[in-house]
Amino acid sequence: MNYRQLLGTDLTVSAVGFGVWTVGTTWWGVKDEEAGKRLLRQAFDLGVTFFDNADTYASGRAEEIQREALGDVRDSIVIGTKFGYDIYNHPDRPGQQERPHDWSPQHLRKALEGSLKRLGTDRIDYYQLHNPRLDAIENDDLFAELEKAKGEGLIRAYGTALGPALNERQIEEGVASVRDRRAPTQIIANLLEQVLIEKILPVSREAGVGIMARVPHASGLLEGTITADTTFEAGDHRNWRLTTNARRKAWMEDGLKKVEVLQARFCGSERSIGQLAIQWLLRAPEMATVLPNIYDEDGLRNYAATFDAKPLAEAEYAEIQALYADNFGLDTNLVGETIR
């Protein structure tokens, strides 16, 4: 495992992190809590030190699962979690619909207290606004309260996590976060969908503020396990987001053609497609960590071994970018359907 500083903070994180949502919800990930705890512990044993959570994942249960799996190594890990959704007055909504946000300083304090208790810790290392819009990033009272909580030692650093799905409005949100707030931001980015990274990374570099990426494998396309015949379980949110939506299904089919090109040119016994996707993102020094969707041991071991694989050469990176610029030789280019 490699480790990097999250620029703009004093945090050092594993370059491959673990998004705890996969073991704390039933949307796509591990259905059995005990299996999820074992996976978290295996990740730690493989060198993963950054665990990214949120109070809205199973209304806080994901934070409790993390505590139960990793509470005894608290001082050896970096805990990230998120706030902003009102989980106290609004129950889960069908189809992963967003709850209402509450960006008041009062809600921040209530959310922070709840996360600290569920995680079994006296501080949050990296506290993130969860899917904020621009008005939240421009909320001076909110950021003043974050600074106050930081001064009290309850959080070490704060930032934003943009979403929920890929959307070009997040360009403005990400730029405002890193440029105006000097706050690191988490974005959806992968080598098939570069719209956010190509706009936000240069601003991040100029500001000296880090970024992190989730969905590095484009909803599973770059894992190398999905084919045109793949079906998803009823409880898997890709089932209704991809296979029951004509545009999103076309996006998946389009993406698989691009993956076929990438596998043929850049992958083999020395590097998997999943490792290539992570290497591509980590080429930028401002990219502190990549958060693949981890829901089984095979995937975990594959991603954790990225730094044992054949490194991505500059000539290979240039070729990938040329393919991307040419849309991999395809007539269609469907973007914006990535989930998680």
Side-chain angles (χ1 to χ4, degrees):
M1 182 59 64
N2 285 2
Y3 301 88
R4 296 185 169 198
Q5 182 184 2
L6 177 58
L7 298 180
T9 78
D10 63 356
L11 302 176
T12 297
V13 297
S14 54
V16 173
F18 195 124
V20 186
W21 82 276
T22 59
V23 303
T25 73
T26 58
W27 300 344
W28 177 350
V30 182
K31 304 298 190 293
D32 177 77
E33 285 191 0
E34 293 306 313
K37 293 174 192 177
R38 288 193 297 271
L39 203 56
L40 287 167
R41 194 65 186 209
Q42 287 172 337
F44 175 74
D45 291 341
L46 289 170
V48 175
T49 60
F50 180 60
F51 295 86
D52 186 48
N53 218 316
D55 62 2
T56 192
Y57 298 161
S59 297
R61 179 57 188 155
E63 293 177 321
E64 294 173 340
I65 291 172
Q66 180 175 322
R67 181 197 69 227
E68 292 164 9
L70 299 168
D72 63 324
V73 293
R74 167 61 186 99
D75 292 336
S76 298
I77 64 175
V78 178
I79 294 179
T81 197
K82 311 181 193 73
F83 75 100
Y85 287 115
D86 185 357
I87 68 172
Y88 302 99
N89 297 309
H90 298 274
D92 284 332
R93 294 187 170 189
Q96 295 94 52
Q97 295 179 50
E98 287 187 273
R99 294 177 169 98
H101 279 122
D102 185 342
W103 299 115
S104 67
Q106 295 77 16
H107 179 78
L108 185 159
R109 288 289 178 165
K110 184 174 183 178
L112 178 56
E113 180 181 355
S115 287
L116 288 168
K117 181 178 179 180
R118 289 186 294 269
L119 287 161
T121 184
D122 61 355
R123 81 277 185 194
I124 303 298
D125 298 308
Y126 183 52
Y127 204 38
Q128 301 157 86
L129 283 67
H130 198 176
N131 299 338
R133 293 356 180 219
L134 191 61
D135 64 318
I137 299 171
E138 294 176 341
N139 187 329
D140 290 338
D141 291 340
L142 175 63
F143 278 82
E145 198 67 24
L146 284 166
E147 278 293 322
K148 186 176 179 181
K150 183 178 178 182
E152 295 168 6
L154 298 177
I155 60 176
R156 293 177 60 192
Y158 56 79
T160 60
L162 305 183
L166 183 63
N167 191 303
E168 287 197 12
R169 65 167 167 74
Q170 292 159 23
I171 296 172
E172 189 176 17
E173 295 158 2
V175 168
S177 180
V178 298
R179 183 191 63 199
D180 302 336
R181 293 297 182 184
R182 293 296 194 270
T185 192
Q186 180 184 139
I187 62 173
I188 294 173
N190 57 73
L191 61 81
L192 296 182
E193 295 173 305
Q194 302 182 24
V195 61
L196 294 188
I197 196 170
E198 67 184 9
K199 298 294 185 181
I200 296 173
L201 180 61
V203 183
S204 166
R205 181 172 295 143
E206 183 178 354
V209 174
I211 59 176
M212 57 182 66
R214 72 178 187 276
V215 204
H217 296 113
S219 301
L221 294 181
L222 290 164
E223 292 173 359
T225 58
I226 293 179
T227 70
D229 297 323
T230 296
T231 58
F232 304 106
E233 297 179 8
D236 188 318
H237 73 170
R238 291 172 297 178
N239 182 55
W240 67 270
R241 286 185 182 252
L242 292 181
T243 59
T244 64
N245 180 297
R247 175 175 169 80
R248 287 171 173 162
K249 187 174 182 180
W251 168 86
M252 184 174 75
E253 294 169 349
D254 180 76
L256 287 172
K257 295 174 185 176
K258 298 173 182 177
V259 170
E260 185 177 354
V261 174
L262 291 167
Q263 286 183 309
R265 296 200 186 189
F266 305 104
C267 301
S269 60
E270 296 181 300
R271 180 201 290 139
S272 70
I273 186 70
Q275 292 167 342
L276 174 69
I278 294 173
Q279 290 175 341
W280 181 86
L281 284 163
L282 290 174
R283 180 180 176 276
E286 295 78 17
M287 183 66 69
T289 188
V290 174
L291 295 161
N293 290 325
I294 298 172
Y295 38 80
D296 58 40
E297 186 176 345
D298 288 344
L300 169 61
R301 291 190 177 279
N302 183 17
Y303 307 146
T306 293
F307 309 99
D308 298 323
K310 176 185 176 183
L312 179 65
E314 285 298 311
E316 291 178 308
Y317 175 81
E319 186 176 353
I320 290 171
Q321 293 307 95
L323 286 167
Y324 179 82
D326 189 44
N327 194 37
F328 293 79
L330 303 179
D331 294 331
T332 58
N333 189 25
L334 302 174
V335 298
E337 305 303 334
T338 279
I339 51 175
R340 285 289 163 194

